[in-house]
Amino acid sequence: MPEPKQYLNFIAGQFVASSRTFENRAPADDRLLGQVHEAGAAEVDAAVAAARGAMAGEWGRMTVARRVELLHAVADEIDRRFDDFLAAEIADTGKPASVASHIDIPRGAANFKVFADVVKNVPSESFEMATPDGGKALNYAVRKPVGVIAVICPWNLPLLLMTWKVGPALACGNAVVVKPSEETPATATLLGEVMNKVGIPAGVYNVVHGFGPGSAGELLTRHPGVDAITFTGETRTGEAIMQAAAKGVRPVSLELGGKNAAIVFADCDFDKAVTGVTRSVFENCGQVCLGTERVYVERPIFERFVQALKARAESLKIGPPEEKGVALGPLISHEHRAKVLSYYEKARAEGATVVTGGGTPRMPGALAEGAWIQPTIWTGLPESSAVIREEIFGPCCHIAPFDSEDEVIALANDTPYGLATSIWTENLGRAHRMAGAVDVGICWVNAWFLRDLRTPFGGSKASGIGREGGVHSLEFYTELRNVCIKF
Ligand code: NAD
């Protein structure tokens, strides 16, 4: 068993201890992974000052070409240390190594290359105009970095979602202070080593550890030295962060919760739809913001679909990250499991038919201490049920029948959230009609979680503010300045 680690803050290129620590435990078996050094006001001040210092120094003057080169080097170094990142991520999250090695780590590295290339190639606009005195003026737009960006991250895809923000922020020439989730401190810390190794100047990338309210998260988002805040997490936390950002009128980018619907028409390719919905409900043990918790199935195939999804759910192998063939890891923590299980209880109390699951699995040996849970499917609940209205963030869904396009559009849109949906149909006209009618930021047809990083990503309604991805990230991470020259 490896020695417990010390997860230090990373400030101005140095690993910095603090006087308060808290435990980091593995969700698979509750073993102690190490002690996390919680940043207080002094550490957060130092990190913000380091970032401001970097903007005023070599980093602020660096050519785009050199920045691009360095960010490619960051991605290459993550790839070189792939096994370290993989081990850190699966220890913190308990997710299957097969998933983390295909999604979390490679996409985490790719985020640096993708955004470096966007910045290298992005054009800017210019307009020539006539002036009243018979002369002319030329307007042209230039993009400048915003300054110091606070990056507040969740625990479900720690490296991937952190670099999804740090990549474009640095590509645009900003400096960052990252606050990883208290549940998953490891990969953000490891990235500090990578930054030093490849020669990213000190202070460009900083990490402060801790919690939200009354801790590093709140200290950072309220810090007057922060110019903009980008956040991924729960909608309620997004509201608190938006309030913090109001002081000083600082911009926010918010990627928040969802209560996403999958809509399955009788004219779908049945096997494709069952496979797709199995993934969208159960991937990452249901802890994906884009995941499905409400499934609507057209009545003629309703019973057959429920039985097919049940069979798939029951065939998912539950187990520890390294075990072969494992599809389902634990939830992130016992605390989160208690929340998800409270919805399993509510479903029962509200009269749901439990098609499968509904409890916790019996796990062998040390795994018995982990935050394991059964994949669960319900039918028969009214749309007013808490289980259908509130984000659960677990491996579970409710399946309801529908009879017409209009009915299912109304059902899908009857939620405060508007993040993602997936529609399963082989009818092209219907696919276009439905895609236009469901109020979400991201709509898939016959797919789920298929991401081209150049496309806009974000939620509507209570699922967020702003779009990131490709050139859209530039809207947040740069200040667009117009220069008007009269001649
Ligand atoms: P969370 O909101 O509890 O925490 C996210 C981060 O915010 C953590 O680092 C936490 O310490 C910090 N935080 C909490 N309160 C804070 C405060 N008052 N001020 C500053 N920082 C604070 O979210 P989570 O439980 O880590 O992640 C799960 C949630 O994230 C789900 O709701 C999920 O839908 C959402 N999510 C959304 C997306 C998206 O792209 N829209 C992606 C992934 C996850």
Side-chain angles (χ1 to χ4, degrees):
M1 182 131 323
E3 280 285 291
K5 293 190 166 62
Q6 299 290 318
Y7 303 93
L8 302 178
N9 300 292
F10 183 68
I11 301 171
Q14 308 281 329
F15 286 96
V16 178
S18 58
S19 50
R20 279 160 69 120
T21 60
F22 59 93
E23 290 183 341
N24 182 28
R25 289 190 171 270
D29 54 10
D30 208 37
R31 75 183 183 282
L32 182 66
L33 294 170
Q35 297 291 334
V36 189
H37 288 246
E38 183 180 358
E43 288 80 16
V44 172
D45 277 348
V48 173
R52 297 212 80 80
M55 292 302 299
E58 180 195 355
W59 181 250
R61 293 188 296 273
M62 192 176 281
T63 61
V64 173
R66 176 66 185 141
R67 226 158 56 207
V68 165
E69 209 173 87
L70 280 175
L71 294 178
H72 273 258
V74 170
D76 291 342
E77 181 63 11
I78 296 174
D79 285 340
R80 201 185 65 76
R81 296 193 59 185
F82 194 92
D83 292 348
D84 296 340
F85 276 93
L86 183 63
E89 205 73 310
I90 64 178
D92 270 3
T93 60
K95 65 178 72 187
S98 57
V99 173
S101 61
H102 278 97
I103 297 178
D104 299 64
I105 312 304
R107 284 209 207 168
N111 282 334
F112 286 100
K113 287 192 175 163
V114 167
F115 289 105
D117 293 345
V118 166
V119 165
K120 192 167 69 179
N121 294 313
V122 75
S124 76
E125 63 192 38
S126 91
F127 294 100
E128 192 180 279
M129 66 186 283
T131 57
D133 61 1
K136 285 184 177 173
L138 180 68
N139 291 277
Y140 62 90
V142 282
R143 290 193 179 273
K144 294 284 178 190
V146 175
V148 176
I149 314 273
V151 182
I152 314 283
C153 307
W155 44 256
N156 59 332
L157 298 151
L159 181 72
L160 192 161
L161 291 177
M162 188 251 295
T163 59
W164 169 248
K165 291 165 178 302
V166 172
L170 299 192
C172 292
N174 302 284
V176 297
V177 182
V178 174
K179 211 297 281 170
S181 168
E182 53 274 32
E183 304 285 359
T184 52
T187 45
T189 312
L190 207 49
L191 191 58
E193 293 178 19
V194 168
M195 296 288 174
N196 280 352
K197 172 82 192 294
V198 305
I200 296 281
V204 170
Y205 173 81
N206 306 277
V207 179
V208 290
H209 290 297
F211 304 88
S215 180
E218 188 178 347
L219 288 166
L220 181 60
T221 51
R222 292 197 177 278
H223 201 291
V226 164
D227 297 302
I229 304 165
T230 177
F231 168 75
T232 303
E234 282 187 30
T235 296
R236 229 185 14 227
T237 314
E239 289 171 352
I241 286 179
M242 212 171 160
Q243 279 180 355
K247 181 94 180 151
V249 202
R250 293 162 310 154
V252 288
S253 170
L254 302 177
E255 294 180 352
L256 308 177
K259 189 70 185 176
N260 310 306
I263 301 172
V264 185
F265 284 95
D267 60 17
C268 70
D269 177 321
F270 190 82
D271 291 340
K272 248 198 260 171
V274 172
T275 301
V277 175
T278 303
R279 276 192 67 218
S280 72
V281 174
F282 300 115
E283 183 117 324
N284 209 32
C285 205
Q287 304 164 116
V288 181
C289 56
L290 305 164
T292 301
E293 292 188 353
R294 301 182 291 148
V295 184
Y296 298 103
V297 181
E298 206 173 357
R299 201 173 300 274
I301 61 163
F302 177 75
E303 275 308 328
R304 188 174 154 226
F305 188 90
V306 170
Q307 291 312 313
L309 201 69
K310 167 179 156 59
R312 288 298 191 87
E314 289 172 356
S315 74
L316 295 172
K317 183 176 172 189
I318 303 178
E322 304 81 2
E323 200 169 298
K324 237 180 138 116
V326 162
L328 218 60
L331 291 172
I332 190 67
S333 64
H334 284 279
E335 192 189 345
H336 187 52
R337 182 169 73 165
K339 177 188 157 187
V340 176
L341 285 175
S342 78
Y343 282 98
Y344 284 20
E345 260 328 295
K346 274 182 205 167
R348 230 174 248 120
E350 290 181 349
T353 301
V354 182
V355 175
T356 188
T360 54
R362 192 182 286 271
M363 300 299 286
L367 296 178
E369 302 302 315
W372 304 94
I373 194 152
Q374 287 176 336
T376 295
I377 299 172
W378 306 285
T379 57
L381 284 172
E383 287 292 308
S384 57
S385 157
V387 170
I388 294 182
R389 300 213 61 83
E390 296 166 18
E391 184 185 48
I392 302 172
F393 225 52
C396 53
C397 68
H398 179 263
I399 316 183
F402 72 89
D403 294 298
S404 71
E405 279 185 22
D406 284 347
E407 181 196 1
V408 78
I409 289 166
L411 288 168
N413 286 341
D414 182 18
T415 166
Y417 294 107
L419 188 52
T421 195
S422 52
I423 295 163
W424 300 88
T425 175
E426 293 296 305
N427 177 328
L428 185 61
R430 167 172 278 162
H432 284 294
R433 273 195 305 279
M434 292 297 297
V438 183
D439 298 333
V440 289
I442 301 148
C443 177
W444 281 288
V445 176
N446 297 332
W448 178 75
F449 214 6
L450 187 57
R451 290 277 301 123
D452 182 326
L453 300 183
R454 296 167 298 185
T455 60
F457 180 95
S460 46
K461 304 199 284 186
S463 291
I465 293 184
R467 293 292 180 270
E468 297 195 24
V471 292
H472 308 285
S473 290
L474 303 185
E475 297 307 319
F476 181 71
Y477 294 106
T478 62
E479 195 74 61
L480 191 57
R481 187 183 290 177
N482 188 62
V483 179
C484 177
I485 299 183
K486 187 170 183 307
F487 57 99

